[in-house]
Amino acid sequence: MKICGLIAEYNPFHLGHLKQIEYIKNTLHAQKIIVIMSGNFTQRGEVAVLDKFTRAKHAVLAGADMVIELPTVFAVSNAEIFARGAVNILHSLGVVDGICFGIESGEKQEYIELAKAMLNESKQFKKALKERLDNGISLAKAKFEAVKSLGGTFNEQLISSPNNILALEYTKAILRLKSNIEVFPMLREGDHSHNDLTLHKGITSATSIREVIKTGKFSPLKKCMPRFVFDDLKEYPFTFDTLILSSLITADTQKLASILDCTEGLENRIKALLKDNHSLQTLVEKISTKRYTKTRIQRILLANLLSINLPLIKDCLESSLYAKVLAVNSQSKDLITEVCKNSSIPILTRKSDANALKKTALNCFEKDVLATDLYSLITGEKSNEHHMLIV
C-alpha cells in the first residue's frame, strides 16, 4: 500500500496509537500515513487535553507523514457524521489506498456485510428502526435490530463498543461513496474497554489517561505514552462550564431544536432543567437518560456554543470542503505536492488558501476558527488558525 489513512483524536496520543502506526508501517507496509484528526474539541463534547497543533506534532513524531484537521462540524458530531466527514476528506484527497481503524472484535468481511445491509434503507427498515427508537433503544442498536428483523444474521459484537461502532460507520461511509479505499481493521490490544477508567501499564485507554491528568500527578503516565507526549502535558481539565451555561441561557428552544440529535422535545427538557442546575456536570447528569447518553448531551451543549446546527452539517456533508493541514513530516513535504495535484478539494497550508474558500466551505472553516478562538480563551494560549507545523 502506498498511502494509508487513519482517523483519530489523539486525546492524548498514547502507546496504543503508536502500535497502530507501527502496524500500518510494518504489517500493512504503507509508504505514507495521512491522519485525519479532531481539532480542539472532541466527539465526547469535551475540550481536548492539548491543542490540535501539539497533538498533530505528536502524531508526526510517532511516524505519521501528514495530519489534516477534521472540521469542527464533524468532530463534535455523532459517530455516523464523524465518520462520514472524515472519510469524505480522505476520499477527496485522491491518493489514499486504505484506511486502518481499531476494533474490539469482529472480522473485516463482517463489517462490510453489516454496513451494506444498513445502507439499504427500505421502507420496511425505516419502519422497524422507528419502532425500536420509540422503545428507547440507542441508535446503533436500533439500526442493528432493524436490519436483523428483516432477515439478516449479523454479529451483535459489531455494535458492542464505541470503536466497533466507529469501524462500522467508516465502512458505511466508504461504501456510500463507492470509494476504492480498502478497509483494514486492527484488533485492539488488551481486554480493557475504550471507556475504562483504570490506568493500565503500557497500552491503556485515553479515558484512563485523562482521568490521571485531571489529578495533576503525571508521573504514572510515563509508561503509557511516548516521552515527547509526556513532556507536553499540562494542567487539565480546562474550565468552560460558564461558556456552555451562558450560551444555553441565551439560546431559545428553536435554536436548540435545530441541533443534531436534539430531538423529540429534548430542547424543552434542557431548558427546564437549566433553571435549577447551574453546575454543568449536574445539568448533564440530570438531562441524561438511558436513551439520551451523557456524551450525546455534551455534544448537543457544545454544538449550541459553537452554533453548529443540523442544516449546516447536512450542507457540509453534501459539499466539497477543504483539507486543513496541521502538520507535515519534514521528510515528507513532497506529499503536499502530491495531494494538491490529486485532490478534488482545496488543500489549506497558509492563510491565502483559506481566504479563497466560499459558501459552505467558508461557513465550515469559520467554525474551525471559532473553535480555535474559544479554545484560546479557555486555555489562555494564543493560536494561529492558519499555522502549519513542519516537524
Side-chain angles (χ1 to χ4, degrees), residues 240-253 255-256 259 270-271 274 280 300-307 374:
F240 78 131
D241 297 19
T242 302
L243 286 178
I244 289 286
L245 293 170
S246 61
S247 69
L248 282 177
I249 290 172
T250 57
D252 56 29
T253 53
K255 180 186 178 186
L256 289 174
I259 294 172
I270 292 172
K271 292 294 282 188
L274 175 62
L280 181 59
I300 290 171
L301 303 190
L302 179 56
N304 175 64
L305 173 65
L306 297 168
S307 294
L374 286 173

Side-chain angles (χ1 to χ4, degrees), residues 27 29 53 85 87 103 121 133 143 147 173 179 185 206 224 228 244 247-248 251 270 301 303 305 362 390:
T27 302
H29 303 294
F53 292 105
V87 169
I103 57 172
E121 296 187 358
L133 287 174
K143 285 184 176 181
V147 167
S179 176
C224 302
F228 53 79
I244 289 286
S247 69
L248 282 177
I270 292 172
L301 303 190
L305 173 65
L362 178 59
I390 299 177

Side-chain angles (χ1 to χ4, degrees), residues 368-389:
D368 297 341
V369 175
L370 174 60
T372 297
D373 289 344
L374 286 173
Y375 191 86
S376 296
L377 178 63
I378 293 164
T379 63
E381 299 175 359
K382 291 185 179 181
S383 182
N384 179 2
E385 179 62 36
H386 304 289
H387 187 45
M388 181 186 77
L389 292 175

Side-chain angles (χ1 to χ4, degrees), residues 35-96:
V35 177
I36 307 294
M37 190 192 78
S38 299
N40 290 326
F41 295 92
T42 71
Q43 208 215 356
R44 289 171 174 261
E46 297 175 340
V47 186
V49 170
L50 296 165
D51 71 90
K52 61 188 179 185
F53 292 105
T54 300
R55 286 164 31 243
K57 177 189 72 175
H58 293 162
V60 174
L61 289 174
D65 295 279
M66 177 184 287
V67 181
I68 293 170
E69 179 176 5
L70 177 63
T72 307
V73 293
F74 304 135
V76 300
S77 294
N78 62 35
E80 180 180 7
I81 305 302
F82 180 97
R84 284 184 64 184
V87 169
N88 282 354
I89 293 174
L90 282 176
H91 175 72
S92 298
L93 295 179
V95 297
V96 176

Side-chain angles (χ1 to χ4, degrees), residues 57 94 97 103 128 137 146 148 237 253 262 350 369 374 391:
K57 177 189 72 175
D97 305 301
I103 57 172
I137 298 175
K148 199 171 181 179
T253 53
C262 193
R350 57 178 69 88
V369 175
L374 286 173
V391 182

